[in-house]
Amino acid sequence: MIFAVILTYNRPELIREALASLLKQSRKIDQIVIVDNGSEIPAEVAVRDIVLPENICFLRLPTNIGSHKGFEAGFEFFKQQANPGDWLWVLDDDAHPVPEALEKLISYSDISSVITPNKLSPDGSLFPLLHFYSSDDGTRKYSKKSNPKGWSSTNIVSFEGLLISYGSLARVPTLDFNLFICDDDTLFGELVSIFENPIIVNEPLLHRKFADNGLASWKIYYAVRNKIILRKILLDVKYRYSLRSSLIFILNIFIDIAFYISRDPKNIRGAILGLVQGFRFKGQLKLNKEDEL
């Protein structure tokens, strides 16, 4: 079985379009779950004039608990309802799949159990996907060329279009804190790539409704803080401490901060606060013994 989970919040037109794109899929979806993150107009009301299939259900949260926790609620619903061998397709209300998207994604299931699609920006251009991010030293690697195999390995798992098996999702440990706003799916990708070989499908199978205009000023705090937290919790789990990587990481953090301030000098407050809170973080991430490398 394939479950599709869509997260939405206060965007009735977009959730209508997103649902319509699911109903047009060439590959049957066995269960559609709409996670409503406390919208003012409930998602169930927003789509009530659409002829809904019997395999749809609505999971309405009492308030907006952030994208990370919203997706987590959808993941938990899937794990409670699904069985080993089932698949979860994760979607946001502002990234709509083409009709053949699910069919093409599932065709790669013999290569990987964690599959994410390429996507198109609103202007029709290919989205500049990040293929690798190292929480160890903060370096990024983009790929501009398509792999002739049709897919590329990655450790970046976007929640926009992710197709993941029940078994792979079950192995990702639940966190005891909320990486709100930034890097929730970056952390997820880092964690799942410990056990699996995630891939990006070269072909763009999603259409983004909004351009990626960078981080809003109020998100700078989370952008800086969460990068530091990611590194701390992944040391001794995925990476091993070294002075060289630590120095490169700090340099990259300050390069990021300089960039944020160049965009808007007011960003300095959020950047400094994120820096302080990140370095103060004391939490740890522990994997089950059978899951450790």
Side-chain angles (χ1 to χ4, degrees):
M1 290 183 63
I2 296 179
F3 289 65
V5 168
I6 316 176
L7 179 65
T8 188
Y9 173 66
N10 271 357
R11 298 195 284 201
E13 289 303 318
L14 285 181
I15 189 58
R16 287 168 55 84
E17 292 179 30
L19 179 57
S21 69
L22 290 191
L23 297 179
K24 295 177 183 176
Q25 288 300 303
S26 59
R27 171 64 162 83
K28 179 185 176 182
I29 300 171
D30 298 287
Q31 178 73 61
I32 298 173
V33 183
I34 297 180
V35 180
D36 183 354
N37 219 342
S39 299
E40 294 175 13
I41 300 176
E44 191 168 3
V45 174
V47 302
R48 63 185 174 185
D49 59 340
I50 298 177
V51 178
L52 299 178
E54 294 182 356
N55 63 341
I56 189 170
C57 66
F58 295 85
L59 180 60
R60 179 168 170 81
L61 306 176
T63 186
N64 182 8
I65 56 176
S67 61
H68 171 68
K69 292 296 184 182
F71 281 120
E72 187 175 87
F75 294 167
E76 289 304 313
F77 179 90
F78 169 73
K79 287 190 287 188
Q80 292 171 11
Q81 301 294 320
N83 297 299
D86 291 344
W87 289 78
L88 171 65
W89 194 21
V90 187
L91 295 157
D92 209 343
D93 60 8
D94 63 352
H96 302 165
V98 301
E100 309 82 21
L102 180 56
E103 181 181 359
K104 291 186 176 181
L105 287 173
I106 201 68
S107 70
Y108 291 93
S109 60
D110 59 335
I111 297 171
S112 176
S113 59
V114 184
I115 309 161
T116 190
N118 213 329
K119 45 197 171 186
L120 293 175
S121 298
D123 63 2
S125 62
L126 197 62
F127 199 77
L129 279 181
L130 177 61
H131 277 208
F132 287 95
Y133 171 74
S134 170
S135 295
D136 187 27
D137 58 16
T139 57
R140 305 170 177 89
K141 180 181 178 182
Y142 291 86
S143 178
K144 296 181 180 179
K145 296 182 179 180
S146 295
N147 190 318
K149 295 181 294 186
W151 56 272
S152 302
S153 295
T154 184
N155 73 335
I156 299 299
V157 175
S158 171
F159 287 154
E160 293 179 343
L162 166 67
L163 182 67
I164 185 169
S165 70
Y166 177 96
S168 292
L169 181 64
R171 298 184 76 185
V172 180
T174 302
L175 304 177
D176 61 357
F177 67 95
N178 186 1
L179 283 179
F180 183 57
I181 298 299
C182 292
D183 294 323
D184 46 359
D185 47 3
T186 300
L187 173 58
F188 187 91
E190 283 271 39
L191 290 174
V192 77
S193 65
I194 296 175
F195 320 113
E196 313 293 353
N197 175 36
I199 64 171
I200 294 176
V201 174
N202 293 344
E203 185 177 358
L205 300 174
L206 294 183
H207 287 275
R208 285 283 300 272
K209 303 301 289 186
F210 300 110
D212 186 7
N213 295 320
L215 294 175
S217 179
W218 60 275
K219 294 183 181 179
I220 301 303
Y221 160 74
Y222 299 102
V224 175
R225 183 201 70 168
N226 291 356
K227 284 185 175 68
I228 300 171
I229 290 177
L230 283 180
R231 185 172 194 269
K232 285 190 170 186
I233 65 175
L234 289 170
L235 282 176
D236 296 325
V237 172
K238 183 172 184 179
Y239 300 106
R240 298 293 179 262
Y241 175 84
S242 76
L243 179 60
R244 180 179 181 277
S245 62
S246 296
L247 292 175
I248 295 174
F249 177 80
I250 292 172
L251 176 62
N252 279 319
I253 282 289
F254 279 100
I255 289 173
D256 287 347
I257 290 175
F259 171 75
Y260 298 144
I261 294 173
S262 71
R263 294 284 298 272
D264 184 348
K266 294 180 181 178
N267 287 339
I268 190 170
R269 183 177 181 276
I272 296 300
L273 183 59
L275 195 68
V276 172
Q277 293 297 323
F279 282 116
R280 283 183 176 176
F281 179 77
K282 301 295 185 183
Q284 291 183 320
L285 180 69
K286 295 294 184 181
L287 304 181
N288 297 326
K289 287 295 182 181
E290 60 270 21
D291 289 339
E292 292 182 0
L293 288 175

